[in-house]
Amino acid sequence: MNEQPLVSVILPVYNGEQWLARSLGSLQAQTYQNFECLMVNDGSTDDSRAVCAALAEKDPRFRLLDKENGGVSSARNAALAQLRGEWFTFCDQDDAMDPHSLEYAVTMQNAHPDRLVMWGYTRDAADFAAAAAKPLEFELTDGDAMLRRHPCGSIFVTIWNKLFNTAAVRAAGLRFDETLGKRDNLGEDKLFMEQYLAARWPDTPVPMAYAATPRYFHYPDNRTSITRTATQRLELTLPDPEPGYATFILAEYQAARAEMPACLTDIPPLESIAFVRHYTRCFAFALWCAEKLQEGRPVELTNGPELAELLNWWQTNRIFNPYYLPLRRRMFGFAARLYQWDELKQAPFFRFCQLFRLLLPGWKANAGE
């Protein structure tokens, strides 16, 4: 086994001049040296290409690929065709990698070559900065166990916190769907992940080596990124209210907690936040459904220990959630309206978020989203 395999990092670039210093700088700072970065200029009209060309000229680990604008999927496919690494991963142009990201990923992969290697990510600057001083710690688990821990399934959507095997991808003929990954049609990462997992582990739960420490910083401030612009441009609609949803979601929550009795107490907040956020919003949706269908207040939810348990988690960890204050203050009608504003991405939702943040000084942003 090659203990120092070449790792390729795919970095699509489109009009990202103002962010490239941090993404490319974080790659230059990697403690693992045997990597290449494929900077795919997807027809940028600003000075992004010049930034990439200058770096490629002075550092041979960075390769510039030029193509006509075709979207992030076609940019990644261009890199897949030319990468040389035994393993590869991804970095977005407006994000950053911890200096140890590649080193620790390779260490895990060398120790467990038949497992999917994955590491944590965050949107919280303090969490990311603190991670750099932490040594490598990881656990051996599998996909089923991780999905129970993260029931929304987002762990198998992101691609920039995992290592992919080049030979397996090429043997299966995997590519990103170029009809996806555009401003009005997302989902390319999720589809690629599903195809990759099915190709490598078709009959068994995905064996994993997982390091929870956030080694990837997913910056929240790029308002022109593909995913953000797509959300703004979609014609958002409300879901159909579901009769008896409060009873259903309470039963689901109770079953999940029975399977994971320690998920709110013995697991770090970065790992449990997806579970807590998911069910907090589901409870708000239940209130909205009951209101729309005139079912009356679902007292089994509003007065039950399940809601109190979720609210206590937010309070104990001092992590902001927009539904915390309305639910804690038992403003259930308002929580239902907040859900509607949230779902439609309407201005009152964002205004009340700002107000609630002022009322909760010192609480962190939703770290680990």
Side-chain angles (χ1 to χ4, degrees):
M1 179 191 299
N2 182 4
E3 295 296 326
Q4 295 285 315
L6 179 66
V7 177
S8 299
V9 181
I10 296 174
L11 193 150
V13 176
Y14 178 72
N15 290 353
E17 175 189 2
Q18 60 183 305
W19 303 292
L20 286 172
R22 69 187 179 205
S23 56
L24 295 175
S26 75
L27 288 167
Q28 287 181 286
Q30 290 298 302
T31 55
Y32 188 80
Q33 295 296 305
N34 193 25
F35 76 90
E36 63 169 2
C37 175
L38 289 85
M39 306 172 291
V40 187
N41 174 40
D42 190 36
S44 296
T45 57
D46 65 357
D47 285 335
S48 294
R49 188 191 185 282
V51 173
C52 295
L55 180 56
E57 185 174 347
K58 65 181 181 181
D59 190 333
R61 298 175 302 175
F62 291 80
R63 299 165 55 197
L64 173 60
L65 307 180
D66 281 308
K67 61 180 293 296
E68 294 182 357
N69 180 254
V72 67
S73 290
S74 68
R76 288 169 176 162
N77 286 339
L80 287 176
Q82 297 199 35
L83 63 82
R84 303 165 183 160
E86 180 179 347
W87 302 91
F88 67 91
T89 188
F90 299 86
C91 184
D92 285 351
Q93 66 179 2
D94 52 335
D95 291 345
M97 297 176 72
D98 176 275
H100 301 288
S101 292
L102 296 182
E103 176 192 350
Y104 291 164
V106 169
T107 298
M108 289 190 287
Q109 198 70 81
N110 283 342
H112 304 282
D114 296 324
R115 290 178 176 266
L116 174 68
V117 164
M118 184 176 84
W119 52 97
Y121 72 95
T122 185
R123 289 183 177 181
D124 186 277
D127 286 347
F128 185 66
K134 296 180 180 178
L136 173 62
E137 294 181 353
F138 66 95
E139 63 177 304
L140 301 183
T141 184
D142 63 50
D144 288 352
M146 290 296 288
L147 283 173
R148 288 194 296 270
R149 190 185 300 178
H150 303 273
C152 61
S154 61
I155 60 166
F156 291 135
V157 174
T158 56
I159 59 174
W160 25 247
N161 63 334
K162 299 172 181 70
L163 279 186
F164 297 86
N165 182 267
T166 303
V169 167
R170 289 178 172 167
L174 299 185
R175 292 291 184 270
F176 286 87
D177 186 338
E178 296 188 14
T179 66
L180 303 176
K182 298 182 179 180
R183 294 186 186 278
D184 57 351
N185 199 14
L186 300 177
E188 76 287 354
D189 294 0
K190 182 176 185 293
L191 179 60
F192 184 83
M193 278 298 310
E194 289 174 350
Q195 294 172 337
Y196 178 74
L197 298 179
R200 286 206 69 189
W201 300 282
D203 302 316
T204 61
V206 178
M208 300 178 67
Y210 174 55
T213 302
R215 303 288 176 188
Y216 188 92
F217 196 171
H218 187 44
Y219 275 86
D221 63 347
N222 179 1
R223 296 182 180 272
T224 61
S225 70
I226 288 175
T227 52
R228 283 178 176 267
T229 307
T231 300
Q232 293 164 2
R233 291 182 55 174
L234 288 172
E235 294 183 6
L236 299 172
T237 59
L238 290 168
D240 294 330
E242 300 183 26
Y245 183 78
T247 301
F248 165 79
I249 197 61
L250 276 175
E252 181 184 285
Y253 177 84
Q254 290 161 358
R257 289 290 285 117
E259 283 193 45
M260 302 177 292
C263 72
L264 301 186
T265 54
D266 298 338
I267 294 177
L270 186 64
E271 297 182 41
S272 55
I273 189 172
F275 177 92
V276 181
R277 185 191 305 112
H278 170 73
Y279 280 105
T280 301
R281 196 168 189 272
C282 284
F283 284 11
F285 176 62
L287 294 169
W288 180 80
C289 290
E291 181 178 278
K292 290 298 179 183
L293 297 172
Q294 298 182 341
E295 294 177 332
R297 180 180 300 172
V299 292
E300 72 275 21
L301 186 152
T302 58
N303 295 344
E306 297 83 4
L307 177 59
E309 184 177 56
L310 293 174
L311 296 178
N312 288 341
W313 187 95
W314 292 114
Q315 183 175 18
T316 299
N317 292 287
R318 295 175 63 81
I319 296 176
F320 175 77
N321 181 275
Y323 295 100
Y324 171 79
L325 276 179
L327 293 173
R328 176 64 85 187
R329 300 290 185 183
R330 302 184 64 79
M331 302 163 59
F332 299 122
F334 182 81
R337 288 192 294 276
L338 188 66
Y339 168 83
Q340 180 166 314
W341 293 330
D342 182 7
E343 189 71 13
L344 295 175
K345 307 304 177 195
Q346 292 180 327
F349 174 76
F350 301 101
R351 291 170 184 159
F352 277 106
C353 281
Q354 291 177 331
L355 173 62
F356 295 158
R357 285 182 183 276
L358 292 174
L359 295 174
L360 296 170
W363 285 40
K364 297 191 300 180
N366 279 338
E369 284 185 346

